[in-house]
Amino acid sequence: MTTRILPAVGDPDAARAVTTLIGQLPDAEPAGPVTDSTQLVDTLARLAAESLDELPEVVLVHERIGPVPALELVREVALRFPAVGVVLITADASPVLFSAAMDSGARGLVTLPLGYEELASRVQAAAQWSAGVRRHLGAGAEAPTGPGGTVVTVSGAKGGVGTTVTAVHLALAARASGRTVALVDMDLQGGDVASYLDVQFRRSLADLAAINDITPRVLQDAVYVHETGLSLLLAPGEGERGEEVTDRSARQIVSALRSRHEVVVVDCGTHLDAAGAAAVEMADAALLVTTPDVVAVRAAKRVVRMWDRLQVRKPEETTVLVNRHHRSTEIQPALVQKITGTRIAGVSVPAHFKELAAVVDAGRLHDLDARSTVKQALWALAGELGLVKAAAATPGRELVRGGDRGTLGLRRRGAGR
């Protein structure tokens, strides 16, 4: 049986050495090395979208891969692509690292400098394990993308553009379609999800920050189950505790939530910190909210460029949502797309704040009337992002274009309009 091997090695010299050695393994089919964690995950996601059979049997992760630390990358690959055997290449052969690698989901560990016999043994074991998993899944099974579901981050170009309202209603739409949904408030110093949903709860993200192994029981204790069925993981009530949530803990928290929910919506706020950057990087979809005014659009452009410089997210992988849109506004979505270099959402949210005022003031955003054009647009956006089950759309209704270009309304079939 041919074993397809994908090396993930950042250093060019190390990549050549690894590729040369695995090329000597019997029945090995080495792929060209990927140079960073983002490229590895993107490559596996693309292959998984085609077919389970397209995925390599073994992935070799070098300890100096970046920007995501090697163990975190191993954990993410193991969670999202469980039919792939991951082997860690490291100079540290200590029992502590070995245990950490196994806990992260690695199927083996190879020490530097590389030796043929050890590498062959670890690759063979990982390949056999991968083949067993695939037989269990079935030859015609759909490629798994992890034991959990879709992660969507919602970020604001600047304050006051509607980031939290958007995140809450994306989560509500997904939940209404029958999916299990977690809503995470990762605006660590100014999160308002609790205020919008009338929640008082003492547990928060900060309580999970120092925990190395987030078990289902630990996660359950930190999550508040809202009356709508949403699982809420809130920002700390004391803003200074937000510093306790690092990029590493953010990755562990999002991965743990993803493993137990079909949809995870993360409100990242408007301030980019290490935790928010980690969430945006590992998300399946990253939404950036702006309003159609010069200041906000310039801010959106700055955010997109910063994400690109920090290798958090490429512009073409970012979706921009235009909020408070009106057809008479000088700045239209097409212009926002041209300025930011991103993909623009097919839905724009109309400028009807009066519809929101009463429920926002009451802290009952989930009670927003179904006839609200704002709610209709945001729930249509959830459909565009693939967060809702198509068969679970509002019964007896269909999506139609609203009065403003780019907005969506709901019209009953047979209404005679």
Side-chain angles (χ1 to χ4, degrees):
M1 181 187 73
T2 301
T3 301
R4 291 164 297 178
I5 306 171
L6 177 61
V9 187
D11 180 72
D13 293 334
R16 281 192 294 270
V18 170
T19 304
T20 300
L21 192 55
I22 60 178
Q24 299 172 11
L25 300 179
D27 299 321
E29 184 181 311
V34 294
T35 58
D36 59 49
S37 57
T38 302
Q39 187 181 359
L40 173 61
V41 174
D42 288 348
T43 299
L44 293 175
R46 175 176 52 79
L47 294 173
E50 296 176 8
S51 167
L52 172 64
D53 294 332
E54 296 299 320
L55 285 168
E57 284 76 22
V58 179
V59 169
L60 301 177
V61 176
H62 195 276
E63 63 179 356
R64 291 198 297 272
I65 193 72
V68 176
L71 287 179
E72 295 303 320
L73 181 58
V74 169
R75 184 187 299 273
E76 183 170 357
V77 172
L79 282 172
R80 294 187 61 181
F81 312 100
V84 175
V86 187
V87 176
L88 178 65
I89 301 175
T90 177
D92 183 1
S94 67
V96 173
L97 181 66
F98 182 85
S99 176
M102 297 303 104
D103 289 343
S104 297
R107 304 308 307 175
L109 186 148
V110 180
T111 56
L112 292 169
L114 290 176
Y116 177 87
E117 294 297 335
E118 183 183 22
L119 180 63
S121 174
R122 299 294 180 268
V123 166
Q124 182 182 19
Q128 290 175 346
W129 178 87
S130 174
V133 171
R134 296 180 194 210
R135 281 195 300 271
H136 176 73
L137 292 173
E142 181 180 351
T145 57
T150 303
V151 175
V152 175
T153 56
V154 184
S155 306
K158 57 185 273 303
V161 296
T163 308
T164 301
V165 170
T166 299
V168 169
H169 271 286
L170 289 180
L172 289 171
R175 179 61 191 145
S177 77
R179 295 187 182 276
T180 55
V181 183
L183 175 59
V184 185
D185 194 347
M186 208 168 280
D187 186 357
L188 297 174
Q189 294 185 346
D192 286 322
V193 168
S195 297
Y196 277 115
L197 294 177
D198 192 25
V199 171
Q200 292 184 352
F201 192 59
R202 62 188 180 87
R203 300 283 188 179
S204 73
L205 279 160
D207 295 304
L208 297 177
I211 299 176
N212 292 323
D213 185 16
I214 301 177
T215 64
R217 177 61 183 273
V218 169
L219 188 63
Q220 181 181 355
D221 289 343
V223 166
Y224 178 88
V225 180
H226 191 255
E227 62 184 80
T228 58
L230 295 179
S231 297
L232 304 180
L233 187 54
L234 303 172
E238 304 82 15
E240 64 274 14
R241 291 199 65 195
E243 297 181 358
E244 300 174 22
V245 185
T246 64
D247 57 338
R248 180 178 181 276
S249 56
R251 290 181 187 281
Q252 288 186 327
I253 291 168
V254 173
S255 294
L257 289 168
R258 169 184 257 158
S259 69
R260 295 179 62 81
H261 299 82
E262 294 176 278
V263 174
V264 180
V265 179
V266 184
D267 179 0
C268 294
T270 58
H271 175 68
L272 183 68
D273 52 22
V280 172
E281 184 183 4
M282 68 187 299
D284 298 290
L287 191 68
L288 181 62
V289 183
T290 186
T291 48
D293 58 86
V294 173
V295 175
V297 173
R298 284 178 175 172
K301 183 178 180 180
R302 286 197 303 270
V303 171
V304 170
R305 287 183 171 180
M306 179 172 60
W307 285 359
D308 191 25
R309 289 195 305 271
L310 297 177
Q311 298 183 25
V312 172
R313 200 87 183 180
K314 298 176 182 177
E316 59 270 21
E317 296 174 350
T318 302
T319 300
V320 170
L321 171 69
V322 178
N323 189 22
R324 299 175 197 151
H325 172 265
H326 193 274
R327 59 186 173 186
S328 64
T329 304
E330 184 174 350
I331 300 178
Q332 292 294 318
L335 180 58
V336 176
Q337 181 178 22
K338 182 178 179 181
I339 291 173
T340 60
T342 61
R343 174 186 175 274
I344 203 75
V347 177
S348 296
V349 183
H352 292 157
F353 182 75
K354 288 184 179 180
E355 299 176 354
L356 294 169
V359 292
V360 168
D361 290 342
R364 304 280 298 179
L365 192 57
H366 48 292
D367 288 340
L368 183 61
D369 195 296
R371 294 170 295 180
S372 163
T373 56
V374 173
K375 180 174 181 176
Q376 291 170 4
L378 290 174
W379 285 42
L381 175 64
E384 180 182 330
L385 295 174
L387 304 184
V388 300
K389 296 179 181 177
T394 307
R397 297 191 178 194
E398 60 183 351
L399 294 173
V400 298
R401 287 285 168 184
D404 288 347
R405 189 191 333 172
T407 65
L408 290 178
L410 286 171
R411 177 178 297 171
R412 291 190 181 275
R413 290 194 179 99
R417 288 190 181 91

